[in-house]
Amino acid sequence: MPTKWIAWQQVSQSIQADDAIRVLQAVEQFVARAVPANSAAEFLRDQLPEIAGELAANSVGFFMRNPDWVAVSQHGRIGLSEMPKSLLMDVLDRDAGVVASLDSVPGTYLAATPVPSRSHTGAVLTFAGRSFPDDALPSAMLMAKAIGACLDFLARRSQSVRRIDQLQSILRISLNLSAVHETEPLLQLIAKEATRLLECDRASIFIWDKEHHELVACPALGVEGNSLRLPDNTGIVGEVIHQGVTLRIDDAYNDPRFSRKVDNASGYKTRNLLCGPLYGSDKKLLGAFEVINKNSGSFTEEDEITLADLSLQVAVALQNTRERESLLRSHHQLTQQVTKGATIIGDSPAMQAMRSTIRRLAATDLPILILGESGTGKEVVAQALHYQGPRSDRPFVAVNCAALTETLLESELFGHEKGAFTDAREMHRGKFEIAEGGTIFLDEIGDMSPGGQAKLLRVLEQKVITRVGGSLSIPINARVIAATNAHLADAVRAKKFREDLYFRLNVVTLDLPSLRERADDVLPLADHFLNLFATQARRPNLKMSPEARKRLQAHAWPGNVRELRNLMERVAFLATGDTVEVDDLAFILSPEQLNVFEPSVDMRLNEATNGFQQNFIRKAIKRVKGNMSEAAKLLGLHRSNLYRKMRQLGMSEAGGKDDDVDFPDDMV
């Protein structure tokens, strides 16, 4: 049989349509069998007989050169010993398939093709038999390519499984470390866990005493006192310290950089080692982390990654109390982010524009003032700004300024020193310090005291705070987001809010629409909250009847999103069926609807008209929570005209306002 070669670029031109369909079916089978396979060996053992049947071959072999030829898997009587090694080398060198006579077995053909695979480099797939169609080599090469892809999939999956196991082990180690608060026992525990995780004999942490140019090893097994001090330029560890790189040594005694001082002192023999730098969270070099003598073979690149991950935990253990507390706060914030989230629901034009604006602003550190009625979701917007920005892994701290007195507000925001006031028995860190590196959200900023306003202005301008009762200026790094449902411009004119603070906060303003202004979002919000609370109530997701959905859309929602959220929470826990009916929503009817003004036929037209106008104005005022400016806007009037009309109607709510603008009788 004459020798025939086919390069990869010739395969697509050489294969027949029927053969291509057969190959595609075989590839589908390979993929289906690769998914449940536990290993590459198992996959090859199962598939080689199938491949032999597809190409009518008596024997199929999967051989690798590493550097000598080895049989990874084979099927049939003809094995590696019968293979012409020079021809297999040519297959790899030329990266092409070949069909030739197998001289070692008279009357037998041999087809060989390279296997493109990152995990099995230098692999060749061979077919041997009594006959081999001239047009079958392209099919064999495509099958080899599919086999290589499946093997790479299995290798990546195996690597991922090992990586997950290592990360889970590191997580368990970090939990164990949190229970140890003394340095020496902590380092001994780290060394013990490192030897188990990296499957080696010993491990040591070298702390760098930069001032004295020494390395302090702990634990130093086999050395008196279990501790050892070395010059910081000694051996592999010294090079890691000064170069800041990880070194993997496969043969320690043949490496000129390795120092035998420790081995000579302890009687221990180091075969191989892995040593990496140990950095603190401030990127300063703390020392080095070394593991010695892999139990089987040498340390690998995966071991380097594992050592680097474990080194992060070691660095945490060596940091001071403030850094550990910061990590705990960050962990708490991340947990809150996962469980609570900061999702903005709604596809109305107003919400789409709001999400776009949030994405642009999240990456900045600009102070932001969020305006909107009560319940419109100002804190949710603040959370979205935080969690979509670069500070997302740092704390988000919310403060309700309206819920605190002047003294307590300043103490909560800026902290207080021990003895600053009665009951100040210890130093208290304020919210700005707790939010270090993150975001502080000041809700109801319009209710902040004048003293608190002055201190907040200083924080925004100078980035420092002073605790109550203290004099030390503490630098802080926290983004400030403020919110209010009041009209700060009016408060500035009334001298109730500092003008300079107003302009400092008003760099960027987000004006949240009320729920009635984005009625299209009522049903998506209702569905979101209903599913959320149904999960908390441990019941299947509830559906709303068409009548209930219409009732929700008809409601004015004076309490905005908060009112809708509270309603859905009650419905999720109290609704009796799997479908929310309109009767389940009966309690959202506004109380004033029970006392709607109904004019009597005995009334004069003027009396009936006045009664209707009084009732209509009261409903508008109640809808906006007593905000007269908003009520006037809702009625299409100027504020002074509204007060004038209320006095004309004899409404006590008008108070003693005196406006000179006349109100035409046909305006309402």
Side-chain angles (χ1 to χ4, degrees):
M1 178 184 294
T3 301
K4 179 181 178 180
W5 290 89
I6 294 183
W8 285 111
Q9 56 267 30
Q10 297 175 297
V11 171
S12 60
Q13 302 170 359
S14 305
I15 193 168
Q16 301 298 318
D18 292 342
D19 292 336
I21 294 174
R22 189 172 71 254
V23 169
L24 179 60
Q25 293 172 342
V27 169
E28 291 177 346
Q29 177 180 312
F30 296 161
V31 173
R33 297 290 179 84
V35 172
N38 294 318
S39 66
E42 177 183 323
F43 172 74
L44 290 172
R45 185 175 62 250
D46 292 342
Q47 293 308 301
L48 290 188
E50 300 292 336
I51 299 173
E54 287 291 337
L55 297 177
N58 296 330
S59 299
V60 180
F62 188 96
F63 309 121
M64 285 184 63
R65 186 174 183 271
N66 187 30
D68 297 324
W69 285 99
V70 294
V72 178
S73 184
Q74 59 187 35
H75 168 74
R77 295 183 178 181
I78 301 176
L80 181 61
S81 59
E82 289 81 17
M83 293 292 120
K85 309 303 188 297
S86 59
L87 184 63
L88 298 184
M89 284 297 302
D90 288 342
V91 169
L92 293 178
D93 293 339
R94 297 175 62 167
D95 194 26
V98 65
V99 177
S101 297
L102 183 59
D103 296 336
S104 61
V105 184
T108 303
Y109 74 84
L110 172 66
T113 173
V115 179
S117 172
R118 292 184 177 181
S119 60
H120 292 70
T121 56
V124 175
L125 189 64
T126 64
F127 305 83
R130 293 296 179 183
S131 63
F132 191 82
D134 292 338
D135 57 356
L137 183 56
S139 299
M141 294 179 70
L142 289 177
M143 288 185 184
K145 194 170 188 177
I147 289 290
C150 290
L151 292 175
D152 286 344
F153 160 76
L154 290 169
R156 288 193 298 270
R157 188 179 67 182
S158 177
Q159 184 179 13
S160 298
V161 170
R162 290 196 304 271
R163 181 69 176 145
I164 290 172
D165 290 340
Q166 289 172 344
L167 290 175
Q168 289 176 337
S169 296
I170 291 174
L171 179 59
R172 287 192 293 269
I173 291 172
S174 67
L175 294 175
N176 293 334
L177 299 184
S178 65
V180 182
H181 303 291
E182 295 181 5
T183 301
E184 187 172 341
L186 182 65
L187 295 178
Q188 291 176 351
L189 176 61
I190 292 170
K192 177 182 176 182
E193 295 289 355
T195 57
R196 180 186 59 81
L197 182 64
L198 290 164
E199 298 177 346
C200 60
D201 187 43
R202 291 187 179 182
S204 288
I205 295 91
F206 292 82
I207 306 301
W208 189 23
D209 186 351
K210 189 175 182 179
E211 181 179 354
H212 296 95
H213 303 285
E214 285 186 333
L215 294 169
V216 182
C218 185
L221 299 178
V223 178
E224 185 178 355
N226 204 28
S227 181
L228 180 68
R229 287 182 173 269
L230 298 170
D232 64 4
N233 59 354
T234 300
I236 300 296
V237 179
E239 184 161 341
V240 168
I241 290 291
H242 291 288
Q243 299 297 327
V245 295
T246 298
L247 294 178
R248 190 170 75 237
I249 310 299
D250 294 335
D251 189 349
Y253 280 15
N254 287 329
D255 194 302
R257 298 168 296 181
F258 179 75
S259 174
R260 302 190 186 186
K261 291 182 179 179
V262 177
D263 280 13
N264 293 335
S266 62
Y268 187 78
K269 183 177 181 179
T270 301
R271 299 191 313 273
N272 49 48
L273 62 89
L274 175 64
C275 187
L278 192 62
Y279 288 102
S281 58
D282 55 1
K283 305 303 180 182
K284 290 183 179 180
L285 189 63
L286 301 177
F289 198 1
E290 184 182 68
V291 288
I292 303 172
N293 287 354
K294 185 80 171 177
N295 293 339
S296 177
S298 300
F299 292 101
T300 64
E301 186 176 348
E302 288 184 20
D303 292 331
E304 286 190 37
I305 297 174
T306 303
L307 182 67
D309 291 337
L310 187 58
S311 295
L312 296 177
Q313 305 302 322
V314 175
V316 171
L318 297 176
Q319 297 304 298
N320 58 33
T321 304
R322 179 181 177 185
E323 290 170 326
R324 290 198 297 270
E325 290 176 348
S326 177
L327 287 172
L328 290 174
R329 289 196 303 270
S330 297
H331 179 269
H332 179 64
Q333 290 295 320
L334 290 172
T335 302
Q336 285 186 329
Q337 178 185 358
V338 172
T339 55
K340 186 176 181 181
T343 306
I344 297 178
I345 305 298
D347 292 320
S348 64
M351 286 298 98
Q352 291 181 14
M354 181 63 64
R355 281 194 289 268
S356 177
T357 301
I358 288 173
R359 282 193 295 269
R360 294 196 304 272
L361 293 175
T364 73
D365 279 334
L366 293 172
I368 295 178
L369 179 62
I370 304 175
L371 304 176
E373 297 177 11
S374 179
T376 51
K378 294 185 286 295
E379 184 169 349
V380 173
V381 170
Q383 289 176 338
L385 287 165
H386 172 75
Y387 288 121
Q388 293 183 28
R391 297 175 179 265
S392 59
D393 60 342
R394 307 301 296 168
F396 176 88
V397 179
V399 181
N400 187 345
C401 300
L404 301 170
T405 63
E406 177 175 347
T407 302
L408 287 178
L409 178 65
E410 293 186 29
S411 174
E412 280 297 303
L413 286 181
F414 311 114
H416 63 254
E417 297 291 352
K418 180 179 180 179
F421 50 85
T422 305
D423 294 332
R425 297 184 177 90
E426 57 185 10
M427 185 275 290
H428 171 71
R429 298 170 67 242
K431 300 297 187 185
F432 271 98
E433 290 184 76
I434 295 175
E436 178 66 15
T439 301
I440 185 167
F441 173 62
L442 303 177
D443 199 9
E444 302 302 335
I445 189 71
D447 295 330
M448 182 176 284
S449 67
Q453 293 178 34
K455 288 192 175 183
L456 178 59
L457 179 62
R458 183 189 178 209
V459 171
L460 294 176
E461 292 180 342
Q462 302 180 16
K463 304 296 183 184
V464 296
I465 62 169
T466 302
R467 298 187 186 124
V468 176
S471 58
L472 180 65
S473 295
I474 303 173
I476 56 99
N477 173 25
R479 184 182 192 179
V480 176
I481 299 177
T484 182
N485 60 6
H487 290 271
L488 285 187
D490 293 342
V492 170
R493 285 191 290 271
K495 306 297 182 183
K496 294 181 179 179
F497 198 86
R498 293 180 64 109
E499 184 178 23
D500 47 1
L501 177 58
Y502 172 75
F503 287 114
R504 188 71 184 181
L505 291 171
N506 202 28
V507 175
V508 178
T509 300
L510 294 179
D511 200 349
L512 303 189
S514 62
L515 189 53
R516 62 181 174 276
E517 293 174 315
R518 53 183 186 112
D520 292 342
D521 293 336
V522 170
L523 293 181
L525 282 165
D527 291 335
H528 170 74
F529 291 134
L530 193 60
N531 292 335
L532 174 67
F533 291 118
T535 301
Q536 294 183 12
R538 298 180 180 179
R539 61 185 302 178
N541 286 344
L542 300 174
K543 303 295 182 183
M544 284 189 288
S545 67
E547 293 77 15
R549 299 175 80 85
K550 290 180 181 178
R551 181 66 189 90
L552 291 178
Q553 289 179 306
H555 189 58
W557 302 111
N560 291 296
V561 179
R562 182 184 294 121
E563 180 184 0
L564 177 58
R565 183 182 188 277
N566 292 342
L567 170 64
M568 292 298 101
E569 184 176 13
R570 292 194 296 268
V571 168
F573 281 87
L574 300 179
T576 56
D578 293 333
T579 301
V580 179
E581 303 293 348
V582 69
D583 291 339
D584 295 319
L585 308 176
F587 47 84
I588 71 170
L589 295 173
S590 301
E592 65 265 26
Q593 292 182 337
L594 301 176
N595 299 308
V596 174
F597 175 76
E598 292 288 343
S600 170
V601 295
D602 297 330
M603 288 184 176
R604 293 178 177 272
L605 179 61
N606 184 53
E607 291 177 323
T609 301
N610 288 346
F612 170 78
Q613 292 186 57
Q614 290 174 0
N615 185 68
F616 193 78
I617 291 173
R618 287 191 176 101
K619 288 177 64 177
I621 294 173
K622 186 167 185 178
R623 184 174 179 179
V624 295
K625 304 293 186 181
N627 189 315
M628 299 302 289
S629 297
E630 290 296 322
K633 186 187 299 183
L634 191 64
L635 293 168
L637 305 173
H638 190 276
R639 186 167 178 265
S640 58
N641 287 350
L642 175 58
Y643 276 108
R644 178 69 175 173
K645 184 61 180 176
M646 291 172 67
R647 288 200 307 276
Q648 290 179 356
L649 294 172
M651 298 175 65
S652 59
E653 294 92 331
K657 289 280 184 179
D658 187 15
D659 298 297
D660 297 331
V661 182
D662 290 331
F663 190 99
D665 288 336
D666 60 352
M667 289 293 288
V668 177

